[in-house]
Amino acid sequence: MDRHTTAAPALRRLLDLLATGAATEDFGEVLADARRRGAPAEVLTEIDDATWQALRVHRTMRQHRRREAELTALFDTAGDLAASRDLDAVLQAIVRRARMLLGTDTAYLTLPDERAGDTYMRVTDGSVSPIFQTLRLSLGDGLGGLVAQTARPYASHDYRVDERFRHTGQIDAGVLDEGLVAIIGVPLLLGGTVIGVLFAADRSPRAFSPDEVALLCTLAAHAAIALDTAKSLADTRAALAELAAANAVIRAHAAAVQRAEQAHDRLTDLVLRGAEVADVAAEVAALLDGAASVHDAEGAPLTGPGGAPDGLAEAVTASRAEGHAVRHGTEWVCAVLAGQELLGALVLHGRPELDDADRRVFERAGVVTALLLLLRRSVAETENRVRGELLADLLTAPGRDPAGLTARGRRLGVDLNRPHLALVAVAEDALAQGRLAGAAARYLFGSRGISAEFGEGVVLLVPHEGGGDGAVAALAAERLARLAGGPVTVGTGRAANGPVALAAAYAEGVRCVRALRVLGRAGDGACAADLGFLGVLLGDGHDVDGFVRATLGPLLDYDAKRGTELVRTLRAYFDCGGGLTRAKDLLHVHVNTVVQRLDRVEVLLGRDWNQPERALELQLALRLQLLAGAERAGRQGRRACPGRAGSGPACGEPGVPGPGGQRTGRQGRRACPGRAYSGEVGLVGRQGVLW
């Protein structure tokens, strides 16, 4: 039989096309080829029926392959949901598979923004427009708004002319910039609530089949599950984080409570053991891992490192007002209070940051410090009353029982055989006078000194540590004035030891206070040596040589080194009432020589050497120098007048005027060391200058 008269070859070819998955157009070529070959009508009919059946099988096989691909994609998506904890990665995979399975140009997913009250692009795939990728849609606008409102899928074969939803300029501009035409959107449903919209779109007109809509809905369901899972995981993580934070807070609180209990026990133990303030500072440093110092109400350090920090007074005021410790730079400051009375300050160094628990420990240490300071002050006041009785007996009758006074002092912790300074303090107004005794006790708080009200003021007996006695008096005047709230004048005699010498030092301090007042220096502090020639006259020791050396030292050294006569020239200048002509006659030199010597005196002593007060000191020193020389000569068995004790004529020689312009010698007045000068400002006796 001719092969062209049977349909068998065509049927085998159709089977080959089905087996190889050929395109639909290739099946039509089998029938056309049979017609070209002149196959009979019945064969062509058979081939046509076979071609139609082959196309049905081809379509069914293609659908099965597509379903298989869809199922594979869904299974992959489910696997992603099960394996991934990254929501962005899962959503990106869903959008990419939607684009791939539907064969669209782009796919994207929008989610609502509850804070902003609109929706935003969460994930895109295949998009090329930045405007479209950052597009935000108001609720109810565009195709997505219609899907969200109805909770149903919608497809538009040409978005630009579709009137089923509300167009807006912003959305249309984004769609136009992306070049989209056909768009399909399906809702992401979770318990009947729309939580987002999944889209697929083409840049050319297209009608989406029901199978494609169903597939996209399935992917949207997966996306909803992913969002819900992510939210659940986020809520779980947040709950775990809150539990962890709460657990950390509980542990921290428990640790803080335990630490506070330990701190309370350790600080209480200090009080019960009668510890000192330094022990509290050391305990605070150990508890808070820093350095601690305690300062009195004036800011002076009682213990701890260094001096007072800058601005301590302001920090103490702030702490006192707030009732808590305050941060001051890199330190913490806590006011130490007894009721409303400020006792001092507790300062923590090296801990710029304190948590609440450590801050409460620090404040509790401030309370313990206040308690110890109160106890210490109470004990000190009691001891000071007893010591004050000793001081009163010492100043009243030092010679009655010196050994008994010394023994009493030793029992009270005061060694009278060691050098002490007797500071005499007198207040300058009634308010300060009433507070002076308490101020003195606070000033001596923590030291080995004692104080008592005696005479017109308060006497403070403090150990002599060396250094300037006047500086000690000046510091005492300054601090007592702050503590008493008014000016306080402080005078002191020279350092002394033993009851009798201390009583004499007190008397010298009283005279020093009176001299300070006379000189207009009330509210100041000084010793006798600070008062110049008045100190020589007021002091019990009458350090004449020291005064002469302090006043004329530069001239004496210059004369001794160069063999000049500056001292003699200055004496002659004063003896002649400041007359250069008379002075040059007395010195037997040219007047220019006198001028040159006085210029050198000005260089050595200063420009104020001829001012009244300075000139008086110089004249007194010159006279005392003559008298001292005459007294030494007398002790060697020679009787000499003051005018002959020097190296040249002086007051007391014929023709030399005395201090008042009087002349001696010619008028029969000759002065010697054991007799008084006529017209002098004082008397010279065997014991020195008497006033």
Side-chain angles (χ1 to χ4, degrees), residues 185-221:
V186 297
L188 276 65
L189 294 173
L190 187 64
T193 302
V194 178
I195 61 172
V197 179
L198 178 62
F199 296 88
D202 260 337
R203 295 188 175 92
S204 59
R206 171 179 174 176
F208 293 96
S209 67
D211 290 341
E212 291 173 329
V213 174
L215 175 61
L216 197 60
C217 287
T218 304
L219 290 173

Side-chain angles (χ1 to χ4, degrees), residues 14 17-18 22-32 51 54-55 58:
L14 289 174
L17 291 175
L18 286 174
T24 304
E25 294 79 7
D26 295 339
F27 288 88
E29 284 294 327
V30 176
L31 180 60
T51 301
L55 287 174
H58 182 271

Side-chain angles (χ1 to χ4, degrees), residues 153-217:
Y154 276 90
S156 175
H157 70 282
D158 192 344
Y159 177 88
R160 295 168 294 182
V161 297
D162 198 332
E163 299 296 334
R164 291 177 298 171
F165 44 83
R166 184 168 63 241
H167 288 262
T168 66
Q170 183 181 10
I171 299 175
D172 289 350
V175 172
L176 179 62
D177 192 60
E178 187 66 51
L180 301 181
V181 177
I183 302 176
I184 179 175
V186 297
L188 276 65
L189 294 173
L190 187 64
T193 302
V194 178
I195 61 172
V197 179
L198 178 62
F199 296 88
D202 260 337
R203 295 188 175 92
S204 59
R206 171 179 174 176
F208 293 96
S209 67
D211 290 341
E212 291 173 329
V213 174
L215 175 61
L216 197 60
C217 287

Side-chain angles (χ1 to χ4, degrees), residues 255-281:
V257 170
Q258 183 178 5
R259 187 176 183 183
E261 290 177 353
Q262 294 175 352
H264 178 76
D265 293 341
R266 292 169 66 173
L267 293 173
T268 302
D269 183 63
L270 290 177
V271 177
L272 296 177
R273 288 191 292 105
E276 296 293 333
V277 176
D279 299 324
V280 176

